[in-house]
Amino acid sequence: MTDRRPVYVIDGARTPFLKARGGPGPFTPVDLAVQAGRPLLTRQPVAPDAYDLVILGCVNVIADEMNPARVAALRLGMGEDTVAFTVQINCGSGMQSIDTAYRYIREGSADLVLAGGTEALSHSPLVLRQEAVEWYAGLARAKGPLARTSMLADIKPDFFKPVIGLERGLTDPITDLNMGQTAEILAHRFGISREAADRYAMESHHRLARAQQEGWLDGEVEPAFDRDGNVHEKDDGVRPDSDMESLAKLKPAFEKPYGKVTPGNSSQITDGASWLILASEEAVDRHGLDPLAVIRDSEWSALDPSVMGLGPVLCSTEMIKRNGMTRESVDLWEINEAFAAQVLACLAAWEDETFCTEVLGLTDAFGPVGRDILNVDGGAVSLGHPVGTSGNRIVLHLVHAMARLGKKCGIATECIGGGQGGAMLVEMV
């Protein structure tokens, strides 16, 4: 279609990413969304209730915050008549919110949209075992004291030992593999060594530490204030002193004793939220907005869940082909670091001629994506991976990194649990 409208990125903000530390963190998913949204909306020349839509990605919605998009929108003062809905596509949820907003604006259904992602993995619920659930149901149905006493005789100690909901959520129900095991499959397929994965992880920490030290993240990270009066100013999972010796001491987490994936080269369990403001050209003119970038295209792909980590390769390549681009056309990349081995496997796949011709439909290998243009300020290994947020954060950071480095065109992409991938093509104004 030739009448599709351009979609502009106006501004964005996120909270610091806070590492889960064995118990519920200071913020719920909606708390995080409000902490990131309030300063972002306050600095705009448009009233909060002027937005057409609020769309928020969130995977682990807690019982007290059903449809967190709506709850956050109301707490942000965006008006009772502002439609708000939550989207969920696992690790891609924060990008799905942008993509949904992009399509609404592109087709003329909306002009100004707040699109974000939020996740408080530290608030993941504890789940009863199925046997315990059935016992409790039987107890509730029991009639009379004698029947209830009989049920009590069947109680087992395991009934009082809940399962962490996140553990179930990170296991694919089709393949019965957890996400770390899928990364191990890719490491084996593409020959990713433990040393290479550890080195990548170390570099991720060093890059994030430098970005914090140089103030490169100040334009996107807003301090978060908890109910106890504490101020959270920076991503707190970074280890500036990370080195190969300490990483080598960690044992494999999923495939003992010879696996390549360890806690040190995997993404961290983290809480955080991120928002972007998207607008049509009409909204830009009407409200006097100053765009940062234009979203040019997006793509979603699906594949075997057991190799879900290759999702970025499929969707990014398809998007590049559709736009008549080449590898050299992309100045900067953000690939969400679910696992160091997974990112390295994506890079290896692009250099594998057989994979590129048979799977991607290319005539030759796609070629190398240099580390100098990939995740230049670190990623989820050092930053954390709040599942519903990460897809939003990588687009937000891509825009800021391109502005700082004077780059024109970038791609943000991620693998998605369940065997999918999402990618977004962004161009600076």
Side-chain angles (χ1 to χ4, degrees):
M1 295 175 63
T2 58
D3 58 346
R4 289 178 171 175
R5 307 190 301 171
V7 180
Y8 294 98
V9 177
I10 303 302
D11 199 355
R14 69 173 176 89
T15 66
F17 280 14
L18 307 177
K19 187 175 180 179
R21 301 185 186 279
F27 304 103
T28 68
V30 168
D31 288 339
L32 291 162
V34 171
Q35 290 287 325
R38 187 170 287 133
L40 174 64
L41 294 176
T42 300
R43 64 178 178 242
Q44 306 308 314
V46 54
D49 60 1
Y51 291 77
D52 300 310
L53 282 173
V54 176
I55 309 172
L56 185 65
C58 187
V59 179
N60 292 274
V61 176
I62 66 173
D64 294 331
E65 298 177 349
M66 288 294 113
N67 191 10
R70 176 64 171 168
V71 182
L74 291 173
R75 283 180 57 184
L76 287 168
M78 303 189 75
E80 295 177 356
D81 58 349
T82 301
V83 174
F85 58 88
T86 304
V87 294
Q88 206 273 59
I89 184 174
N90 280 345
C91 316
S93 301
M95 184 178 287
Q96 179 66 69
S97 71
I98 303 173
D99 185 61
T100 305
Y102 161 67
R103 294 173 191 273
Y104 268 107
I105 294 172
R106 186 185 68 178
E107 307 301 338
S109 299
D111 287 301
L112 191 62
V113 181
L114 181 66
T118 190
E119 202 75 64
L121 291 179
S122 69
H123 286 257
S124 294
L126 298 176
V127 181
L128 290 175
R129 300 163 190 273
Q130 186 59 32
E131 189 180 5
V133 172
E134 293 171 359
W135 181 85
Y136 278 109
L139 183 64
R141 291 193 302 266
K143 297 183 182 300
L146 191 60
R148 294 191 187 96
T149 301
S150 177
M151 286 294 301
L152 289 172
D154 295 331
I155 196 169
K156 297 178 181 178
D158 276 357
F159 291 178
F160 302 102
K161 186 179 180 182
V163 178
I164 299 173
L166 181 62
E167 183 179 324
R168 288 190 182 182
L170 293 177
T171 300
D172 181 75
I174 304 300
T175 63
D176 200 30
L177 296 171
N178 63 47
M179 297 300 100
Q181 289 172 310
T182 69
E184 290 284 10
I185 290 173
L186 295 185
H188 176 74
R189 164 64 178 82
F190 292 98
I192 308 302
S193 69
R194 166 69 185 273
E195 182 182 3
D198 284 350
R199 188 169 301 281
Y200 182 97
M202 180 185 69
E203 290 177 358
S204 180
H205 282 280
H206 292 175
R207 290 181 180 204
L208 176 57
R210 185 186 178 195
Q212 289 181 338
Q213 184 178 4
E214 298 290 344
W216 292 339
L217 304 181
D218 293 350
E220 65 187 79
V221 179
E222 294 290 342
F225 302 86
D226 67 31
R227 287 180 171 84
D228 295 325
N230 300 310
V231 183
H232 306 267
E233 296 184 282
K234 293 183 178 182
D235 309 307
D236 66 1
V238 63
R239 298 188 293 273
D241 57 351
S242 181
D243 58 55
M244 293 295 289
E245 183 179 1
S246 58
L247 287 169
K249 293 177 182 177
L250 299 174
K251 295 181 179 180
F254 306 103
E255 295 293 337
K256 300 176 181 179
Y258 302 116
K260 310 299 191 298
V261 181
T262 74
N265 58 39
S266 304
S267 57
Q268 302 175 34
I269 297 173
T270 308
D271 300 349
S274 174
W275 291 105
L276 285 178
I277 296 173
L278 304 182
S280 66
E281 198 163 19
E282 289 83 347
V284 168
D285 293 339
R286 185 188 320 134
H287 299 294
L289 304 175
D290 188 15
L292 298 172
V294 178
I295 297 178
R296 289 298 184 198
D297 202 0
S298 64
E299 179 67 21
W300 301 89
S301 298
L303 70 166
D304 183 337
S306 68
V307 289
M308 68 94 195
L310 292 177
V313 177
L314 274 65
C315 54
S316 299
T317 305
E318 183 61 32
M319 189 170 62
I320 287 172
K321 289 194 294 184
R322 181 170 60 241
N323 286 273
M325 300 167 60
T326 65
R327 173 174 54 86
E328 291 81 4
S329 305
V330 184
D331 299 316
L332 217 57
W333 289 83
E334 283 287 323
I335 301 179
N336 188 47
E337 297 172 356
F339 303 93
Q342 169 262 324
V343 177
L344 293 172
C346 287
L347 302 184
W350 269 319
E351 295 192 62
D352 187 313
E353 183 177 354
T354 301
F355 182 90
C356 289
T357 55
E358 294 184 359
V359 178
L360 302 180
L362 300 176
T363 58
D364 201 351
F366 180 76
V369 173
R371 288 286 286 117
D372 58 325
I373 61 170
L374 170 65
N375 297 351
V376 293
D377 297 319
V381 168
S382 55
L383 192 67
H385 179 20
V387 182
T389 308
S390 293
N392 200 275
R393 182 203 71 81
I394 59 176
V395 177
L396 170 64
H397 184 67
L398 179 66
V399 170
H400 279 271
M402 285 197 294
R404 182 182 91 233
L405 299 172
K407 304 296 184 181
K408 180 67 174 176
C409 176
I411 288 179
T413 182
E414 77 246 316
C415 61
I416 297 172
Q420 300 187 89
M424 193 153 282
L425 178 63
V426 182
E427 188 175 297
M428 299 302 290
V429 173

